[in-house]
Amino acid sequence: MTDTPATSLGTVYGYPRQGPDRELKRAVEGYWSGRVSADELRATAEGLRRDNWRQLTDAGLDEVPSGDFSLYDHVLDTTVMVGAIPERHRAAVAANPLDGYFAMARGTQDVAPLEMTKWFDTNYHYLVPELGPDTVFAADPAKPVAELLEALALGHDPRPVLVGPVTYLLLAKPAPGADPGFEPLTLLDRLLPVYADVLAALRAAGAEWVQLDEPALAQDRPQAVLDAVAAAYRHLGSLSHRPKILVAGYFDRLGEALPVLAQAPIEGLGLDFTGPAAANLDDLAKVGGVPGKRLVAGVVDGRNIWINDLEKSLSTLATLLGLAGQVDVAASCSLLHVPLDVAVETEIDPEITPWLAFARQKTAEIVTLTRGLTRGTRAIAADLADNRAALESRATSTLTRNPAVRARAAAVTPQDVRRAQPYAERARAQRARLELPLVPTTTIGSFPQTAELRTARADLLAGRIDRDAYDERIAAEIREVLAFQEKAGLDVLVHGEPERNDMVQYFAERLDGYIATRHGWVQSYGTRYVRPPILAGDISRPEPMTLRWTRYAQSQTSRPVKGMLTGPVTMLAWSFVRDDQPLGDTARQVALALRDEVADLEAAGVAVIQVDEPALRETLPLRAAERPAYLSWATEAFRLATAGVRPETQIHTHMCYAEFGEILAAIEDLDADVISLEAARSHMQVAHELAEAGYPREVGPGVYDIHSPRVPGSEELVSLLRTGLEAIPAGRLWANPDCGLKTRGWAEVRRSLENLVTAAREIRAEVADHPRA
């Protein structure tokens, strides 16, 4: 770019909430357990917000976000802000707003929580609003106003961030009792006055700008939605007492919504210019830009951890200068989706560290780009030189390429990705081998990760115990888990995964080509944080990963014990994946490593092998045109990992907390023998969707919601299984929880699984008395 200076600001849409040591997690969970008071929880949250704003301002950002902080979920915060409290939670919210808030998120023993699902194509989960034709909205701007005032009092320049009204309605589902065909977007006229009240309150409190996030517009939307967008921002833009409005879209190109927003009476537009969203640049030029408007350009990838190509970003920014009244620099989306600071990762290879940028480093990149845009490239010459050297180091490093891995992947044949026998033949062989009852019971894999297990893992890492002592602790835990399952009456057992820290990280630590972090925590939902590993090079398996403990578990019981693996798509989706080759190539490498593990498990006599793919749906591209290619390589990778087994070996897979309707054909194309899916919060919706699609294999629609502390009674589980039987015949129906049990406590797990077994037995008796076709 030239050295012509511009007037630009640096900002971000949002920032990690948890704190450097996950202080928020500890405070919230402490409140739930009674160890932390409400005032102490609020003080911790206030301190984290204060620290975040100070870090962002000290780094050199000109404008900071407010309102992006949440005790649990920003969509749930929006539900509170617009007064859309479900009827079943209103009494709790009225009695104690904080406890009522958490009841909506987690449920209570007597009241079910809101449904949870994935935030677009990320691994973040949000609480789904429940709306119906009788919903009455009412503005409650207390939270966004209070956090704005906090930031102003500390001397910052804050921009409140809210979920936009159209996205909020598009994320919602019909409330229980409403017509399943009800469209929440029809409530827009009712919702807009509430947003008007919130905007007025923010303006009165001192907000100059407000950001309304509309990521739902990065998906294919019909004309009715585009008309709703135009109407919404025509209404909000016409308000006399409001802040300036910045509408932000991210995760992909805005497509058909871009000209609508470009013409809307708003003052600013935020666009993503990374990955597939880079097409926004051409689209913006085609509509003549947004002259007279503020354009916040997301040129720093907010979802991955690789350093920015500063020269490329400066070139994009230079082009944008001719398309907007003012061009500001930002990350592509909230930095909620990346870890906080790479500087604390002292165990990462020093050759690799310069290739990485977490939230703090991305903030520094934004500041550098802003300085280059406003002062010219000479002002950042040293930064550009360092950046070029790091990019060249990564491109030429031997750490990223393994010729043997690439040769093996290139040699895969069509026969390698298909089971040799059709499902019907396999099912007969599996029934003969396993001898399971109707509606067999199982769990998804993990059992509670107790404080004792976490302590043992920490003691091993710190050298306080040796490997032998640690292994005996793991063996004892496996024996306890198996004994409980046998006593409870479960049919297909699991070893409980006590040796595993996380379903992706555990495997990443045992595969060449992956890098694990020590402090790279990212919020998945509520107080659940994960450490996504970094997929930096070609993938191979140096030795078996799960064989030892699976074989040990099977030696302790005569009932089948599942081998438990994480599938190739999920290994990519829940990692920070390399961006220097097609995702399908990386998935094939991971699948081949898993294929070797599956072969070792089968050779050891393991009769049931589960390869989890909970991320298959969440990684689905937002735009329909890109989906066939993705589903092709994604399903092929799963089959490559699993297709080498004999017919009598039963392959399971598991998926959870996503909308499955759009991928039913792909689910069948996986060719798994049994699939388990989340179903409790969605009231068995997925079972009916599979039936309507003619899905021919065995299905375990989850009947026990493990993301809530409540213990479902056996009558409730019987009711759910009866609903499942309306769609899935008894000969193909399983009973299982929604997901793994690692985050739950033993007391609730014992009672819940005992109730699950009781319910399955009652269903078997009903089927025996009244057999169905």
Side-chain angles (χ1 to χ4, degrees):
M1 78 174 268
T2 68
D3 283 342
T4 303
T7 301
S8 299
L9 304 177
T11 189
V12 295
Y13 293 162
Y15 205 63
R17 304 161 178 163
Q18 69 267 22
D21 295 312
R22 290 181 295 160
E23 291 89 348
L24 183 61
K25 171 186 174 69
R26 295 185 177 90
V28 171
E29 292 180 350
Y31 177 75
W32 293 342
S33 67
R35 293 180 287 104
V36 171
S37 70
D39 287 343
E40 289 170 327
L41 172 58
R42 294 186 183 101
T44 297
E46 183 176 347
L48 291 171
R49 290 193 293 270
R50 181 181 62 245
D51 291 346
N52 281 354
W53 289 325
R54 183 176 61 245
Q55 288 171 14
L56 293 171
T57 301
D58 290 349
L61 290 187
D62 304 288
E63 185 183 54
V64 299
S66 69
D68 61 306
F69 186 91
S70 179
L71 292 177
Y72 201 97
D73 167 51
H74 56 273
V75 181
L76 179 59
D77 295 341
T78 309
T79 292
V80 173
M81 184 188 78
V82 301
I85 310 299
E87 177 66 34
R88 65 184 180 280
H89 293 292
R90 289 179 187 170
V93 171
N96 184 313
L98 184 58
D99 289 346
Y101 174 87
F102 287 129
M104 286 189 283
R106 305 172 68 232
T108 66
Q109 183 56 40
D110 300 317
V111 182
L114 291 167
E115 184 179 343
M116 181 188 294
T117 196
K118 297 295 176 70
W119 175 250
F120 298 96
D121 58 346
T122 75
N123 189 34
Y124 178 82
H125 303 63
Y126 74 93
L127 278 302
V128 181
E130 295 177 356
L131 307 177
D134 298 329
T135 296
V136 176
F137 298 110
D140 181 1
K143 178 184 182 295
V145 167
E147 293 179 14
L148 168 69
L149 292 173
E150 280 181 26
L152 287 169
L154 293 168
H156 301 293
D157 184 7
R159 183 187 68 254
V161 178
L162 309 174
V163 176
V166 176
T167 288
Y168 179 76
L169 294 175
L170 291 173
L171 292 176
K173 284 190 169 183
D179 185 330
F182 174 73
E183 295 286 349
L185 190 59
T186 60
L187 300 175
L188 182 62
D189 288 345
R190 218 181 286 178
L191 181 62
L192 289 176
V194 172
Y195 268 80
D197 289 345
V198 173
L199 293 180
L202 289 169
R203 183 71 189 99
E208 180 181 356
W209 284 89
V210 67
Q211 176 180 319
L212 297 177
D213 283 356
E214 295 285 10
L217 304 184
Q219 297 172 293
D220 299 304
R221 294 298 179 184
Q223 188 60 47
V225 171
L226 301 178
D227 292 343
V229 173
Y233 288 99
R234 187 166 55 246
H235 177 88
L236 297 178
S238 68
L239 299 173
S240 59
H241 189 67
R242 64 168 177 83
K244 297 174 185 177
I245 294 175
L246 170 74
V247 176
Y250 41 81
F251 296 148
D252 210 319
R253 58 190 289 263
L254 282 187
E256 305 84 355
L258 179 55
V260 176
L261 290 172
Q263 297 166 16
I266 57 175
E267 290 75 23
L269 188 60
L271 294 177
D272 184 349
F273 293 99
T274 65
N280 275 325
L281 181 59
D282 289 340
D283 292 348
L284 189 63
K286 289 175 183 176
V287 300
V290 283
K293 283 185 168 63
R294 175 187 186 186
L295 175 65
V296 178
V299 293
V300 172
D301 190 346
R303 293 182 55 179
N304 213 334
I305 46 69
W306 304 108
I307 57 169
N308 186 261
D309 185 332
L310 296 180
E311 290 182 336
K312 181 179 178 182
S313 292
L314 283 169
S315 176
T316 298
L317 291 167
T319 302
L320 291 171
L321 286 174
L323 295 172
Q326 175 179 331
V327 176
D328 296 333
V329 185
S332 61
C333 61
S334 171
L335 296 178
L336 172 73
H337 305 290
V338 296
L340 185 59
D341 188 6
V342 76
V344 299
E345 299 295 339
T346 58
E347 297 177 17
I348 293 179
D349 188 326
E351 180 182 351
I352 294 172
T353 303
W355 308 345
L356 306 176
F358 293 178
R360 289 186 182 176
Q361 288 71 40
K362 289 180 183 297
T363 303
E365 290 177 336
I366 292 166
V367 172
T368 297
L369 289 166
T370 305
R371 191 166 69 249
L373 193 61
T374 57
R375 302 180 190 175
T377 54
R378 281 192 293 267
I380 59 168
D383 299 283
L384 292 175
D386 290 344
N387 181 248
R388 281 193 297 269
L391 292 170
E392 178 66 16
S393 168
R394 182 184 172 209
T396 59
S397 174
T398 57
L399 296 177
T400 63
R401 299 179 70 84
N402 183 324
V405 171
R406 291 175 176 257
R408 185 184 181 196
V412 170
T413 68
Q415 290 73 31
D416 293 327
V417 297
R418 288 292 179 189
R419 298 282 290 268
Q421 301 81 16
Y423 167 71
E425 182 179 330
R426 303 193 315 254
R428 288 192 294 271
Q430 292 158 19
R431 290 182 187 121
R433 181 182 187 183
L434 297 171
E435 298 181 330
L436 298 174
L438 284 176
V439 194
T441 54
T442 189
T443 68
I444 302 306
S446 60
F447 265 68
Q449 287 270 323
T450 62
E452 292 78 10
L453 279 174
R454 291 192 293 270
T455 298
R457 193 174 294 124
D459 287 346
L460 177 66
L461 289 172
R464 292 186 289 268
I465 60 174
D466 61 18
R467 172 59 67 173
D468 289 343
Y470 175 76
D471 287 351
E472 178 48 43
R473 179 69 189 86
I474 296 301
E477 183 72 15
I478 290 172
R479 293 193 297 270
E480 181 179 348
V481 167
L482 292 171
F484 163 71
Q485 292 174 88
E486 288 189 321
K487 183 178 179 181
L490 288 158
D491 300 302
V492 176
L493 312 187
V494 297
H495 79 289
E497 305 176 15
E499 79 286 7
R500 304 186 190 184
N501 44 21
D502 174 82
M503 67 180 292
V504 170
Q505 183 183 349
Y506 177 82
F507 292 96
E509 290 173 344
R510 288 156 178 80
L511 291 168
D512 287 345
Y514 266 102
I515 301 166
T517 69
R518 289 291 300 274
H519 308 283
W521 297 102
V522 176
Q523 187 180 24
S524 178
Y525 66 88
T527 61
R528 169 72 167 140
Y529 290 84
V530 295
R531 284 181 292 166
I534 298 166
L535 215 164
D538 292 337
I539 300 300
S540 60
R541 184 195 74 144
E543 61 185 15
M545 301 178 287
T546 67
L547 184 60
R548 176 189 179 186
W549 292 118
T550 305
R551 186 159 49 191
Y552 174 78
Q554 188 61 80
S555 73
Q556 301 297 303
T557 179
S558 60
R559 300 184 190 184
V561 176
K562 287 193 283 191
M564 300 298 306
L565 306 175
T566 302
V569 175
T570 302
M571 288 296 297
L572 268 63
W574 294 0
S575 303
F576 293 116
V577 71
R578 61 191 301 178
D579 59 356
D580 58 347
Q581 69 181 22
L583 284 175
D585 292 355
T586 306
R588 178 172 285 196
Q589 293 177 1
V590 176
L592 286 168
L594 294 173
R595 186 182 181 96
D596 294 340
E597 190 74 13
V598 168
D600 283 344
L601 289 169
E602 183 181 53
V606 177
V608 181
I609 301 172
Q610 182 170 306
V611 181
D612 289 343
E613 282 292 21
L616 182 69
R617 169 59 182 84
E618 81 178 44
T619 314
L620 189 71
L622 297 181
R623 293 285 177 177
E626 301 165 9
R627 293 176 179 177
Y630 159 71
L631 291 172
S632 176
W633 66 252
T635 55
E636 179 187 281
F638 180 89
R639 296 193 309 273
L640 180 59
T642 58
V645 298
R646 298 186 298 271
E648 64 269 22
T649 298
Q650 191 173 73
I651 296 294
H652 288 225
T653 192
H654 169 68
M655 299 178 189
C656 60
Y657 294 94
E659 300 293 335
F660 299 110
E662 296 172 296
I663 62 165
L664 293 177
I667 290 175
E668 181 169 350
D669 201 32
L670 295 176
D671 200 21
D673 300 305
V674 182
I675 183 170
S676 56
L677 306 102
E678 178 276 327
R681 288 199 185 191
S682 57
H683 311 290
M684 287 286 162
Q685 175 182 337
V686 69
H688 290 277
E689 290 175 345
L690 288 170
E692 290 169 6
Y695 187 74
R697 298 172 181 81
E698 297 179 41
V699 181
V703 295
Y704 160 28
D705 174 18
I706 67 87
H707 292 83
S708 170
R710 65 186 298 271
V711 175
S714 58
E715 299 85 0
E716 176 183 335
L717 301 180
V718 166
S719 176
L720 283 169
L721 286 171
R722 285 175 182 150
T723 302
L725 278 173
E726 295 172 2
I728 308 295
R732 293 196 284 112
L733 184 70
W734 287 62
N736 48 258
D738 277 346
C739 202
L741 303 170
K742 67 180 295 183
T743 61
R744 302 268 53 94
W746 259 109
E748 64 194 78
V749 164
R750 285 193 179 95
R751 292 164 56 203
S752 297
L753 292 182
E754 288 166 353
N755 290 345
L756 184 148
V757 171
T758 298
R761 288 172 175 166
E762 184 170 335
I763 290 295
R764 288 172 199 156
E766 290 181 6
V767 171
D769 291 340
H770 306 283
R772 303 180 183 214

